[in-house]
Amino acid sequence: MITLYSAATPNGHKVSIALEELGLPYQLEVLDLASGVQKKPAFLAINPNGRIPAIVDHEAGDFAIFESGACLIYLAEKTGRLMPGDAKGRSLVMQWLMFQMGGIGPMMGQANVFFRYFPEKIPAVIDRYQGETKRLFRVLDERLKDHEFLAGDYSIADIANWAWVRTHRWSGVEIGDLPHLRRWRDAIRARPAVAKGIEMPPSKIDLGRDGDEAAKRFSEEARKMVELGKDLHQTGKTP
């Protein structure tokens, strides 16, 4: 049995999708990030960085793994699935996984902060992160022009990138001009395990919509978290 500590974010859904795809039994513990519970000592003992997701493998002596990419690699290696066993195949998956970890995730995350949450709208900063996100999307689109999936067969690299790409509208970036990326997005969305994984837990809002009250409340909560993080960084305090 595995315990997944998570919330309805792209990084959290990467791991729940993988668990569903692999058919591993798991228990979901949803953390209320707005309350700061992820910074409490009990969770910091599992993830010293105080972020989600994290998993605990109870079959391996309650071994804890944090960082979403590390969780995906651990699960793939534990089961021998969603990542090839040969050196070249494994490297290819790792390359596209790192592409998400070092590029797609950080750029979309910053686009979200400055486009949706930051109290001051700074056009040059928003343009910077949205523009870099779109550039990275073009890299994916070019790769997918001649490949069904990113690294050979469907793998943790697809799961990691897809969990973020599917939320592109929330970052203010459109993909109508990227047909190969859209084809891949839709194909992965149709997988039953993916459909179940993105409901573990379900999002409070539809990330493809704007303007409704739920989206406004979500943005307000996220803005408070951004400001809380700034205050903690300045004071050195932990909630």
Side-chain angles (χ1 to χ4, degrees), residues 42-104:
F43 186 69
L44 291 175
I46 296 169
N47 181 356
N49 195 32
R51 300 287 183 91
I52 63 94
I55 59 176
V56 175
D57 187 348
H58 301 292
E59 295 178 353
D62 295 335
F63 182 62
I65 305 98
F66 67 94
E67 291 296 323
S68 58
C71 292
L72 291 177
I73 294 166
Y74 179 84
L75 294 172
E77 292 182 340
K78 177 182 175 72
T79 60
R81 296 171 56 198
L82 296 178
M83 183 161 60
D86 65 289
K88 288 184 178 180
R90 185 179 188 277
S91 176
L92 196 56
V93 169
M94 294 292 283
Q95 289 172 57
W96 286 104
L97 175 61
M98 294 305 114
F99 177 86
Q100 185 276 305
M101 298 293 294
I104 292 286

Side-chain angles (χ1 to χ4, degrees), residues 105-115 125 129:
M107 292 302 104
M108 292 187 71
Q110 291 302 313
N112 291 347
V113 167
F114 289 102
F115 180 61
V125 175
Y129 288 116

Side-chain angles (χ1 to χ4, degrees), residues 3-222:
T3 298
L4 167 62
Y5 297 88
S6 192
T9 72
N11 282 337
H13 285 150
K14 289 189 315 195
V15 180
S16 55
I17 290 169
L19 286 164
E20 293 292 340
E21 289 281 11
L22 294 167
L24 290 172
Y26 70 99
Q27 175 181 329
L28 176 65
E29 295 287 343
V30 181
L31 300 189
D32 179 5
L33 303 182
S35 74
V37 66
Q38 71 276 18
K39 303 297 184 181
K40 300 292 186 180
F43 186 69
L44 291 175
I46 296 169
N47 181 356
N49 195 32
R51 300 287 183 91
I52 63 94
I55 59 176
V56 175
D57 187 348
H58 301 292
E59 295 178 353
D62 295 335
F63 182 62
I65 305 98
F66 67 94
E67 291 296 323
S68 58
C71 292
L72 291 177
I73 294 166
Y74 179 84
L75 294 172
E77 292 182 340
K78 177 182 175 72
T79 60
R81 296 171 56 198
L82 296 178
M83 183 161 60
D86 65 289
K88 288 184 178 180
R90 185 179 188 277
S91 176
L92 196 56
V93 169
M94 294 292 283
Q95 289 172 57
W96 286 104
L97 175 61
M98 294 305 114
F99 177 86
Q100 185 276 305
M101 298 293 294
I104 292 286
M107 292 302 104
M108 292 187 71
Q110 291 302 313
N112 291 347
V113 167
F114 289 102
F115 180 61
R116 296 282 181 181
Y117 313 141
F118 205 67
E120 179 185 357
K121 296 298 182 185
I122 309 174
V125 175
I126 294 171
D127 290 347
R128 155 66 180 163
Y129 288 116
Q130 288 181 337
E132 181 62 6
T133 296
K134 188 60 178 276
R135 185 191 71 80
L136 293 169
F137 283 178
R138 291 192 188 99
V139 174
L140 291 174
D141 188 67
E142 182 65 21
R143 173 67 177 177
L144 293 164
K145 180 171 66 175
D146 300 315
H147 298 82
E148 182 180 6
F149 299 110
L150 290 173
D153 294 333
Y154 178 68
S155 71
I156 58 173
D158 296 291
I159 292 171
N161 281 278
W162 183 88
W164 277 94
V165 170
R166 83 179 189 95
T167 68
H168 65 93
R169 288 192 180 92
W170 195 248
S171 301
V173 180
E174 292 300 327
I175 62 172
D177 58 336
L178 303 174
H180 313 296
L181 186 63
R182 287 188 286 108
R183 184 270 305 163
W184 170 86
R185 178 202 60 185
D186 295 345
I188 292 177
R189 179 63 178 83
R191 296 177 68 90
V194 172
K196 187 171 182 180
I198 59 175
E199 294 297 318
M200 302 297 285
S203 178
K204 296 178 181 179
I205 59 168
D206 180 351
L207 295 178
R209 293 176 57 192
D210 279 324
D212 62 15
E213 288 302 316
K216 291 178 182 177
R217 288 194 300 271
F218 184 89
S219 293
E220 285 296 324
E221 289 181 5

